[in-house]
Amino acid sequence: MSTLSEPAITSDIVAAHGLKPDEFQRFLNLLGRTPTMTELGICSAMWNEHCSYKSSKKWLKTLPTTGSRVICGPGENAGVVDIDDGQAIVFKMESHNHPSFIEPYQGSATGVGGILRDVFTMGARPIAALNALRFGEPSHPKTRHLVSGVVAGVGGYGNSFGVPTLGGEVNFHKRYNGNILVNAMAVGLADADKIFYSKAKGVGLPVVYLGAKTGRDGIHGATMASAAFEADADEKRPTVQVGDPFTEKCLLEACMELMASGAVIAIQDMGAAGLTSSAVEMGAKGNLGIELDLDNVPCREEGMSAYEMMLSESQERMLMVLRPEKEKQAEAIFLKWGLDFAIIGKTTNTLRFVIKHQGQVKADLPIKEMGDNAPEYDRPWTGPKQLPRLEPEDVAAPVDLQLALLQILGSPDMCSRRWVWQQYDTLVQSNSAQIPGGDAGVVRITDKKAIAVTSDVTPRYVEADPFEGGKQAVAESWRNLTCVGATPIAFTDNLNFGNPERPEIMGQLVCAIKGIGKAARALDYPVVSGNVSLYNETMGQGILPTPTIGGVGLLADLTKMMTSRFKQAGDLIILIGGHGREMGQSIYLREVLGREEGAPPPVDLATERKNGDFVRALINERAVTAVHDISDGGLAIAVIEMALPTSFGAKLEALNHIALFAEDQARYVLTASPACAMALLAAAHKQGVEASVIGEVTADPRLNLGVNGHIDMAKLRSAHEDWFPDFMKGA
């Protein structure tokens, strides 16, 4: 083992690599000697939180990951579900939080690029993208810059690559001031019998490097993603990768062609920790060793060391185990697309990860202990303090109801996101059946069939009660898919939390996972992939706990797809799920009364399923003309959102402020013709579903609130549409 010209391994160097003293001692015991710098770098990458999930693995194992449509659950590049007719959907969500705070354009762009690779690595052509973005309070001096850069980066990569962005979220809160969240989701379509996996097979087979050249960008990116920010956050800019969507588009096409040739045995995206993680994961999963000769790695910079090559996170790269007899054919495909193709190693039967460079062995490590046998912790955790339910009588009515509606619709969290999604290409590929602005995006698969996609979480609920908040995130995702007529199939998650070494933060994570699992089981809605992003805090201030849920549903008959907008005057407005009373953590409480308090609305999963199945059946029977779920802002905001994209108004029965703004779960607003409404109400009564007529759609473009007066939809529309453009202009 050569250590020529390498610095001595000191405690400071070990700490800089993110390894705790006990972890480094474990590594020393494993090796029986002092590691080289390259070995230390490999260990730091593979044992950090971002790659090993060492704090969350214990709890992730409790989630339901199987189902009648699940082809592949967690553990691969992405999850895979069956959508009939020999077709499968491949999807996953991942975070790029720390890089996006440091360098918003490239951080968000490479987040999109990375998740697209996770999908097409498995043989799926990307057909949709989503993103969930959380920023600090609008008054913070960095917020506008971060919003501008992140949105431009998401659009710049996705638009250039050629994938439609069909959904997402944008929220603002002071707890994200020092640590924004950028969660990117990609969805791909594949033949169900042509899925490609990362598990290496066979001894003595070539390990092949594919794609763009390796540079020094992104070194220590995975380690940086597993550490909290301190005052030196801006100094970490060199750890952010640089993306090239046009190269990625070529990589996609080359991979698709290569896969069709039958040359691929195993393939893995070079994501976090680059060449290190891809090689270790392929070998460890296959119970094989991997030997690499870095002299053959295509580099774009002179004099790169083994350490730099192994930890670089340069983008648009893949690693593959190849059938030797297909080598020349495979090389020709990549050269045709202007991409690098290099045999850089081989599989072995040694269970060792061996790195050679310039005639010297730079690393010789046990591959299983670096990969799937990495450390796993059972960290101490404390359950959160239970907040008391906020009684309705303790929530004052607004002084002016119309002003309250304008305040809510024109608030940062409730205003239109049109400024954001109009910067994304939502129509490329010509299969977008429903673009952002509704309950879920919809993408056409065939003339008859489609899938629906959505991203959901309510962080203020999770902060108040992680268990109920975790349940609610899954339930809202399930509801949003239901609203467009889709049967929810499965979801991916992105669990964004603070420092797990603090028991109260670990408690948030544990309780949220328990809530997610309970909802997933009750709704027959398994989790098939995901990402955990911890240490999201700055100077000891953690983010709001944000377990984002990315859901996928199947529309067997696209002609029955439902939208949320009103269709015709005279339709009756029907409330499913009863009048609400839960005001804790509500938007009304925060935006109108300036209070953030109380327990969030509880989630009754049996009622959630019963009501959702009922609504989906109505859509399938063409018994309703519009459907929208009730979430942030309550009933009043749901009705207004149904009217805003149209020329119609609504006349509601006289309701008090609790009924208008409560955020009770498992509820929907429907519209139906008077002829259909009576049969609908009878069916609801028979099935034990609460349903009542609360108003009608009007040709008069006003919201008529009965004794509470009326307000022009144009005034509401202006409040809703103007906040984002005005904020970004600095108005």
Side-chain angles (χ1 to χ4, degrees):
M1 178 66 59
S2 171
T3 57
L4 187 65
S5 301
E6 291 195 347
I9 305 296
T10 66
S11 58
D12 287 344
I13 287 177
V14 171
H17 281 73
L19 290 173
K20 301 284 195 298
D22 60 318
E23 291 174 329
F24 183 61
Q25 187 59 52
R26 174 175 175 159
F27 187 40
L28 287 176
N29 295 343
L30 192 63
L31 291 184
R33 57 173 169 79
T34 301
T36 66
M37 274 297 292
T38 301
E39 289 173 330
L40 179 64
I42 290 170
C43 181
S44 78
M46 294 310 300
W47 285 9
N48 68 45
E49 200 72 60
H50 194 75
C51 292
S52 71
Y53 291 0
K54 58 191 176 187
S55 297
S56 57
K57 196 183 298 183
K58 167 186 167 72
W59 299 101
L60 296 175
K61 291 174 183 175
T62 67
L63 291 171
T65 59
T66 59
S68 60
R69 290 188 176 273
V70 177
I71 295 173
C72 176
E76 271 294 338
N77 287 293
V80 187
V81 293
D82 190 299
I83 58 165
D84 301 329
D85 309 311
Q87 294 177 307
I89 291 297
V90 180
F91 67 105
K92 190 182 183 184
M93 179 181 284
E94 282 212 346
S95 60
H96 232 220
N97 304 334
H98 285 45
S100 298
F101 181 79
I102 295 166
E103 212 301 296
Y105 184 92
Q106 290 296 349
S108 60
T110 51
V112 173
I115 200 64
L116 289 169
R117 284 196 304 282
D118 280 340
V119 164
F120 71 75
T121 301
M122 299 195 71
R125 183 171 290 276
I127 58 171
L130 299 89
N131 54 82
L133 313 177
R134 264 86 196 182
F135 299 102
E137 55 193 337
S139 60
H140 190 274
K142 290 191 75 165
T143 298
R144 189 178 294 108
H145 162 72
L146 291 168
V147 172
S148 177
V150 166
V151 171
V154 169
Y157 206 103
N159 297 352
S160 301
F161 180 85
V163 61
T165 298
L166 293 182
E169 305 171 274
V170 182
N171 285 118
F172 298 86
H173 195 279
K174 62 185 178 182
R175 292 275 291 282
Y176 303 110
N177 280 349
N179 196 128
I180 65 172
L181 301 185
V182 174
N183 296 170
M185 177 175 168
V187 182
L189 177 66
D191 291 336
D193 61 349
K194 294 184 178 69
I195 304 299
F196 289 81
Y197 298 99
S198 60
K199 179 181 177 180
K201 298 176 184 176
V203 175
L205 299 182
V207 175
V208 184
Y209 175 114
L210 309 168
K213 287 180 168 55
T214 294
R216 290 187 170 95
D217 53 323
I219 293 172
H220 288 308
T223 304
M224 180 266 290
S226 300
F229 280 149
E230 300 301 334
D232 61 348
D234 285 340
E235 295 175 17
K236 297 182 179 180
R237 194 175 303 274
T239 61
V240 179
Q241 311 94 322
V242 178
D244 179 353
F246 300 105
T247 297
E248 179 127 328
K249 175 64 173 172
C250 292
L251 183 61
L252 162 70
E253 299 302 339
C255 284
M256 293 286 117
E257 191 172 339
L258 185 65
M259 289 165 171
S261 75
V264 179
I265 293 175
I267 188 166
Q268 174 72 41
D269 161 44
M270 289 194 215
L275 188 53
T276 287
S277 64
S278 56
V280 169
E281 287 169 11
M282 291 176 78
K285 285 177 184 175
N287 289 313
L288 294 171
I290 299 281
E291 184 176 302
L292 300 181
D293 185 347
L294 301 187
D295 293 352
N296 297 325
V297 171
C299 294
R300 65 168 185 261
E301 299 186 46
E302 294 291 329
M304 289 189 70
S305 67
Y307 177 95
E308 290 171 324
M309 280 187 264
M310 292 308 298
L311 295 184
S312 167
E313 293 186 8
S314 293
Q315 298 291 285
E316 294 84 45
R317 301 180 301 158
M318 298 281 195
L319 199 66
M320 179 182 73
V321 176
L322 176 72
R323 297 189 190 281
E325 68 275 14
K326 299 275 190 178
E327 179 185 322
K328 292 301 179 186
Q329 182 183 357
E331 184 175 16
I333 290 170
F334 271 75
L335 292 179
K336 179 183 77 174
W337 286 99
L339 298 166
D340 278 292
F341 176 99
I343 296 176
I344 65 168
K346 63 183 179 182
T347 58
T348 71
N349 62 359
T350 64
L351 286 177
R352 304 293 293 182
F353 187 41
V354 178
I355 309 299
K356 296 179 179 178
H357 187 223
Q358 297 177 348
Q360 297 180 332
V361 175
K362 294 292 186 179
D364 186 349
L365 300 166
I367 200 165
K368 297 287 284 185
E369 283 74 8
M370 292 297 101
D372 48 20
N373 289 343
E376 179 178 334
Y377 295 141
D378 184 4
R379 294 199 185 278
W381 60 278
T382 56
K385 180 182 176 182
Q386 294 295 306
L387 298 176
R389 178 176 179 267
L390 193 62
E391 296 297 333
E393 53 267 26
D394 294 331
V395 180
V399 176
D400 183 327
L401 179 57
Q402 295 182 27
L403 181 60
L405 290 170
L406 292 170
Q407 276 182 273
I408 292 172
L409 287 167
S411 66
D413 271 6
M414 297 299 293
C415 69
S416 169
R417 270 68 180 124
R418 190 184 307 275
W419 182 92
V420 175
W421 59 257
Q422 281 190 334
Q423 297 186 54
Y424 306 149
D425 194 333
T426 59
L427 299 173
V428 66
Q429 300 186 14
S430 302
N431 286 318
S432 303
Q434 197 163 157
I435 64 172
D439 286 293
V442 179
V443 58
R444 185 183 300 105
I445 302 298
T446 66
D447 289 342
K448 180 91 183 281
K449 182 172 66 179
I451 62 160
V453 291
T454 184
S455 166
D456 299 284
V457 65
T458 310
R460 66 184 187 278
Y461 289 175
V462 188
E463 168 85 353
D465 187 330
F467 180 70
E468 288 298 325
K471 286 165 60 180
Q472 191 274 340
V474 175
E476 184 171 358
S477 167
W478 193 85
R479 277 201 306 274
N480 281 330
L481 296 172
T482 291
C483 284
V484 299
T487 300
I489 294 178
F491 66 90
T492 181
D493 58 23
N494 203 148
L495 308 179
N496 307 273
F497 290 81
N499 184 349
E501 296 168 46
R502 293 162 52 194
E504 68 276 15
I505 300 298
M506 192 65 207
Q508 290 178 338
L509 175 64
V510 170
C511 293
I513 290 175
K514 288 183 175 184
I516 288 168
K518 181 156 187 168
R521 290 184 183 89
L523 300 174
D524 193 18
Y525 189 38
V527 55
V528 296
S529 60
N531 172 249
V532 179
S533 176
L534 304 179
Y535 296 95
N536 287 290
E537 58 180 54
T538 301
M539 305 295 286
Q541 175 66 64
I543 60 163
L544 290 178
T546 310
T548 312
I549 304 296
V552 171
L554 176 64
L555 269 156
D557 186 349
L558 180 57
T559 67
K560 295 178 178 178
M561 180 186 77
M562 184 53 57
T563 63
S564 60
R565 62 180 60 196
F566 289 156
K567 305 299 188 304
Q568 58 199 19
D571 277 356
L572 298 182
I573 301 173
I574 299 166
L575 171 64
I576 298 292
H579 288 295
R581 291 178 55 79
E582 299 296 333
M583 299 298 287
Q585 301 299 327
S586 66
I587 287 290
Y588 171 82
L589 193 72
R590 188 182 75 187
E591 297 297 336
V592 178
L593 302 184
R595 296 162 58 188
E596 293 185 54
E597 60 188 76
V603 181
D604 182 325
L605 293 165
T607 302
E608 196 75 64
R609 181 155 191 168
K610 178 176 64 175
N611 292 358
D613 289 348
F614 177 71
V615 168
R616 207 177 310 109
L618 293 176
I619 295 171
N620 193 51
E621 295 160 6
R622 304 184 195 273
V624 290
T625 54
V627 176
H628 191 24
D629 84 312
I630 297 176
S631 55
D632 285 350
L635 172 62
I637 301 304
V639 171
I640 291 168
E641 288 173 343
M642 297 173 82
L644 285 177
T646 75
S647 60
F648 300 114
K651 181 178 181 181
L652 297 181
E653 65 181 39
L655 299 170
N656 65 21
H657 66 291
I658 302 298
L660 287 171
F661 297 116
E663 295 182 9
D664 298 56
Q665 301 295 291
R667 299 192 301 153
Y668 302 78
V669 179
L670 320 176
T671 61
S673 67
C676 290
M678 296 307 106
L680 186 163
L681 294 172
H685 179 73
K686 187 175 181 180
Q687 295 182 38
V689 173
E690 284 191 76
S692 59
V693 175
I694 58 166
E696 66 175 305
V697 179
T698 64
D700 178 13
R702 296 187 294 178
L703 177 65
N704 189 323
L705 296 164
V707 295
N708 293 306
H710 59 259
I711 184 170
D712 288 340
M713 292 306 302
K715 200 171 181 181
L716 295 168
R717 189 175 295 111
S718 177
H720 188 56
E721 294 287 348
D722 290 351
W723 185 88
F724 228 116
D726 286 349
F727 170 65
M728 295 310 297
K729 287 186 294 189

